[in-house]
Amino acid sequence: MSTSMPDIANHTTAQTEGTLDWVGMSNIEMPIMLASKGESPRMVSAFVDAFVNLNDPQAKGIHMSRLYLLLDDLSNNNELNYQTLVSLLNGFISSHQELSDNAKVVFNCDFHLRRKSLISGKQGWKAYPITITGLLNQGKLSIELAVDVRYSSTCPCSAALARQLIQKAFKEKFSQEDINLEDVHQWLGTTDGVVATPHSQRSVAEVKVKLNAATTEFPITDIVDLVENALKTPVQAAVKREDEQEFARLNGQNLMFCEDAARRLQHAMNLTTSFDDFWLKINHLESLHAHDAVSVTTKGVVGGYQP
Ligand SMILES: Nc1nc2c(ncn2[C@@H]2O[C@H](COP(=O)(O)OP(=O)(O)OP(=O)(O)O)[C@@H](O)[C@H]2O)c(=O)[nH]1
């Protein structure tokens, strides 16, 4: 049956000749069983990009269906882990002999983790947007994991300005003679006592790492833990009042410009040897401004990530 069908990709030549860096499909929707370090494999709803290069300047095109079916096989019969990702890339190339020698696959999804509340012992789900990218370029394998971690940042400048107003209100309210501990304590518990509050903002740390050859599992939870421990104020899932109060304390004790957050993370990332390279982008979605405050840094590897 299929022999009588026109096969443009095989039997036609290019109208205009030329090689192409990447040809394939993007945003393929697929459930994927994702394996990651320390977690049981779980089904994620992924958007996948699959590419090979087109080396033959005269060939009409690549065979999209072959890439799709290799992905579909992974989705149906296997789990996505370091080894199956490498096999997939090899399969992309071996299914395109004479046409391609480079392959790339990108998986985008949310990865859900149970996270503990700060004090109350409750737990809740948090979704972390992740991207896993596999690249086979001139035989060289490169696997990258990107994770977005949301947190809260309170502006140190705003905090200092608020403190100044609080000090001023205190001087206006009390004179040397009539300071009474109970009165001051009482007054501090009113909005007149804390006359100004600093602004804080929901913030996003975008982290990309190059996994090194010794890696056998995707270290998603390790990266999330590293970022959240360094920044101290991750957004929360289940929150009772005691958790909210602790969150307020942590915000007050971890005042951060976007530069502070980037340096904290840079320091934490430099302490681990698990990654060949890293790239960080800190986004403070300002509540003072309608624009964001942003900082970017990398490990500084020669020939590695560029800011
Ligand atoms: N290469 C290419 N294929 C496309 C594009 N858009 C849609 N397709 C379709 O992708 C389908 C699959 O192509 P192939 O993988 O070559 O399909 P096939 O010839 O049945 O499969 P093989 O026998 O394995 O070569 C074809 O029906 C193409 O028309 C495009 O922009 N480029």
Side-chain angles (χ1 to χ4, degrees):
M1 179 79 176
S2 64
T3 48
S4 62
M5 290 180 167
D7 190 350
I8 294 290
N10 268 331
H11 299 138
T12 323
T13 50
Q15 293 155 345
T16 311
E17 294 183 10
T19 59
L20 297 170
D21 293 329
W22 294 123
V23 189
M25 295 157 285
S26 68
N27 281 322
I28 306 168
E29 290 181 64
M30 263 186 197
I32 295 283
M33 190 61 88
L34 177 58
S36 78
K37 190 176 161 200
E39 307 289 331
S40 48
R42 65 199 53 183
M43 193 69 93
V44 296
S45 185
F47 289 85
V48 190
D49 299 346
F51 294 104
V52 286
N53 61 341
L54 183 54
N55 247 348
D56 180 345
Q58 291 178 328
K60 177 70 176 168
I62 67 149
H63 301 280
M64 303 268 180
S65 67
R66 299 182 193 174
L67 304 183
Y68 182 90
L69 292 173
L70 285 164
L71 262 177
D72 190 65
D73 183 50
L74 175 77
S75 166
N76 270 316
N77 304 318
N78 221 325
E79 59 177 37
L80 175 64
N81 57 37
Y82 194 94
Q83 290 73 28
T84 58
L85 180 58
V86 176
S87 305
L88 184 68
L89 291 168
N90 284 321
F92 281 5
I93 292 177
S94 58
S95 68
H96 281 79
Q97 274 170 8
E98 287 153 30
L99 290 184
S100 314
D101 56 4
N102 293 336
K104 180 157 93 162
V105 64
V106 184
F107 294 87
N108 284 295
C109 65
D110 277 351
F111 191 73
H112 288 81
L113 286 175
R114 296 293 287 169
R115 302 303 272 179
K116 272 208 189 88
S117 61
L118 293 167
I119 302 282
S120 67
K122 308 284 183 220
Q123 290 204 0
W125 287 109
K126 279 177 65 184
Y128 296 89
I130 66 160
T131 303
I132 296 170
T133 305
L135 177 68
L136 250 180
N137 195 6
Q138 306 298 303
K140 194 169 171 288
L141 177 70
S142 158
I143 297 189
E144 177 189 278
L145 174 60
V147 185
D148 288 0
V149 179
R150 286 167 282 203
Y151 64 102
S152 161
S153 60
T154 302
C155 175
C157 181
S158 180
L161 294 167
R163 285 196 300 269
Q164 188 183 44
L165 286 179
I166 293 166
Q167 285 177 311
K168 184 165 168 275
F170 177 77
K171 271 206 165 159
E172 283 167 6
K173 174 78 181 168
F174 297 97
S175 59
Q176 196 85 45
E177 307 80 65
D178 62 15
I179 287 186
N180 167 285
L181 183 66
E182 194 44 44
D183 289 349
V184 175
H185 181 260
Q186 198 67 29
W187 178 78
L188 281 173
T190 68
T191 44
D192 287 341
V194 181
V195 67
T197 55
H199 67 270
S200 34
Q201 45 255 334
R202 189 181 297 173
S203 306
V204 185
E206 295 172 56
V207 180
K208 278 194 246 179
V209 300
K210 280 265 158 67
L211 303 184
N212 64 32
T215 310
T216 50
E217 296 175 295
F218 301 126
I220 302 172
T221 313
D222 287 354
I223 295 177
V224 169
D225 286 344
L226 184 149
V227 174
E228 295 191 343
N229 289 336
L231 297 176
K232 309 278 189 231
T233 50
V235 298
Q236 301 291 305
V239 174
K240 303 294 283 181
R241 270 176 295 159
E242 58 264 45
D243 304 314
E244 183 160 357
Q245 189 169 57
E246 177 63 2
F247 189 69
R249 192 188 69 77
L250 286 168
N251 271 267
Q253 297 307 303
N254 292 278
L255 303 169
M256 277 181 278
F257 278 149
C258 67
E259 294 92 328
D260 298 307
R263 287 180 178 131
R264 275 189 189 204
L265 267 193
Q266 180 187 51
H267 186 73
M269 297 293 282
N270 274 326
L271 287 178
T272 159
T273 52
S274 308
F275 312 123
D276 282 348
D277 199 0
F278 65 76
W279 174 96
L280 310 170
K281 182 176 180 195
I282 295 293
N283 307 274
H284 284 186
L285 315 183
E286 289 286 315
S287 57
L288 173 64
H289 306 286
H291 52 257
D292 304 340
V294 172
S295 54
V296 178
T297 189
T298 66
K299 188 169 181 168
V301 174
V302 177
Y305 282 124
Q306 297 300 303

